[in-house]
Structures are given as structure tokens and as C-alpha cells.
Amino acid sequence: MKAVLFDLDGTLFDTAPEFILALNQLRQQYRLPPLPEGDIRDVISNGAAAMIKLAFNKERGEPEFDVILQAFLDLYLLRLATNTAPFPGIEALLQQLAQAGIAWGVVTNKPAVYTLPLMRAFSHLPAPGTIVCPDHVRNRKPDPESILLACRQLDCTPSEAIYIGDHERDISAGRAAGVPTIACTYGYINSGDDPLSWRADHTVACATDIWPLLKQNYLFNAQQP
């Protein structure tokens, strides 16, 4: 194992607080009551369009959709990283990877205009070896292109990396790329989804479970606790 790759929202960082605030503020501007946090968390992994559908019952191509979407993204950008935090166990995991000489990176469907400043806000963490956004590839996840690009940038083969995500598209992309996969059920799991059906190589309920799993299955010589 030479590299560990992470999805961003719902896997590496809990970015839900900013999405919840921005979406409910926009609903307030339209004189609509706030939505429960849990309802919004359920759809975050499906992207901004899914949040607009939830909050305004609008889909791409419908009147006002683009205007509402842009207003939402503008509000989100204003709040970027203000309440976001690594999921419990992630900071320790990144330190353990650094101590073991294992590279790490981010492979996300979040556009670079949001991803890069968000990552800069956490510059106190061990630096990622790569950050791949949809801006950097022709085909976003579940296509494997972004994971394969990250592997090339980290100078490893897919079999020498592992990909961790909280959505079926993450696991599908990893499987298509030929990397071992970990499904994390602590992320933004859609209501009714069954992560066990995604056919990931492993499933974890907390980020603190990732390092022991890696040590047991992939890092046989690791000395870190």
C-alpha cells in the first residue's frame, strides 16, 4: 500500500453545516420554513442539484433552477470552511499515514473552486499528495478516471492504493479503477441506501476503524499504533 485516497464531503470532512445554513437561508429568502438538518444531510452526497430539488422542488431544465442553484452556491462559498471539520478519527489517521510514509490524496466530484480553498483552510494537516476535482478530468465519478489520475500523480498502481467513500458512486469508481475500496457508513448515506450492497472490499462505521483495518490487511510492516 503506497497511497490512501479519500472522497471529500461525507468521508474526509463533515461539510454539512455550511450546506444546511446556506440552503435554509435561501429558503428564508423565498419565505419558506427551514428544513430539518437530517433531511438535508440525506441528500448532500448527491450534490447541489439534489439539495435544490429537496428544498425547492426544482430540477435541471426547469424555470428558475439555474438562478436558485447559483444563489445557493454563492451562499455556500461565503461560509466555506467556517463550520466544516474532519470527521472524528481523520486527523489522527492522516498523521498515522504520514508517519508510515503513506501518501494520501483527495478524489472528489466537488468543483475546484470550492475544494481547493476548503483544503487550504486545513493546511495544519499533513499535506495531501494530490487533489483531483471534476475540473481535472473529462469524466467524474462513478467513472474511474479521477482515481486513475490520482494514482498516476502519486506514482502508484491502482493495486497499491485504496479509495474510501460514503456513496455508491465512490465504490463503483474504485472498483472500476481496480483499487481496493472502503465504504464509510458514518458519512452522508441516503435514506434507504444499503452500503453493504455496494460491494466494497471493507466497510467501516467510524474513521477510527480505518487505520487498524489498513494495518491488518495492507500495511503488514507498519509500526504505528
Side-chain angles (χ1 to χ4, degrees):
M1 182 64 60
K2 291 184 178 179
V4 177
L5 303 171
F6 298 86
D7 173 52
L8 183 54
D9 300 271
T11 301
L12 193 69
F13 294 151
D14 183 3
T15 55
E18 284 88 348
F19 285 122
I20 292 166
L21 285 171
L23 197 62
N24 277 332
Q25 182 175 347
L26 191 58
R27 279 178 60 87
Q28 184 179 33
Q29 292 177 12
Y30 280 79
R31 298 184 179 180
L32 295 170
L35 290 173
E37 292 188 9
D39 290 357
I40 299 174
R41 281 181 176 269
D42 278 350
V43 302
I44 286 175
S45 279
N46 290 325
M51 287 184 267
I52 297 304
K53 178 175 174 55
L54 170 72
F56 298 94
N57 197 28
K58 297 283 186 181
E59 300 194 53
R60 290 191 187 277
E62 293 186 357
E64 287 194 88
F65 176 88
D66 290 339
V67 172
I68 294 172
L69 175 64
Q70 191 57 55
F72 170 56
L73 294 175
D74 290 344
L75 287 171
Y76 171 68
L77 189 58
L78 288 174
R79 289 163 175 74
L80 195 68
T82 53
N83 292 292
T84 286
F87 281 99
I90 288 293
E91 290 198 44
L93 172 61
L94 297 181
Q95 295 290 348
Q96 288 159 329
L97 292 173
Q99 291 167 15
I102 305 296
W104 74 278
V106 171
V107 178
T108 179
N109 279 355
K110 194 185 192 82
V113 66
Y114 310 107
T115 296
L116 298 182
L118 178 60
M119 295 302 299
R120 285 195 293 269
F122 291 90
S123 58
H124 63 283
L125 300 175
T130 184
I131 300 173
V132 179
C133 302
D135 316 63
H136 307 138
V137 293
R138 291 183 178 180
N139 303 296
R140 62 175 63 198
K141 297 178 296 181
D143 191 278
E145 183 183 357
S146 54
I147 294 178
L148 294 173
L149 175 59
C151 289
R152 291 196 298 272
Q153 292 177 344
L154 294 177
D155 193 27
C156 67
T157 65
S159 63
E160 294 170 330
I162 195 162
Y163 188 56
I164 306 171
D166 70 316
H167 195 280
E168 186 173 10
R169 79 170 67 86
D170 299 322
I171 306 307
S172 296
R175 287 169 54 83
V179 303
T181 55
I182 299 176
C184 54
T185 62
Y186 60 81
Y188 307 142
I189 307 299
N190 296 340
S191 296
D193 270 5
D194 177 14
L196 295 179
S197 72
W198 302 347
R199 296 190 296 163
D201 295 285
H202 311 278
T203 302
V204 296
C206 180
T208 55
D209 297 334
I210 296 174
W211 180 248
L213 186 155
L214 293 177
K215 279 190 67 177
Q216 179 178 353
N217 294 278
Y218 301 99
L219 306 175
F220 303 110
N221 296 320
Q223 299 302 311
Q224 287 71 25

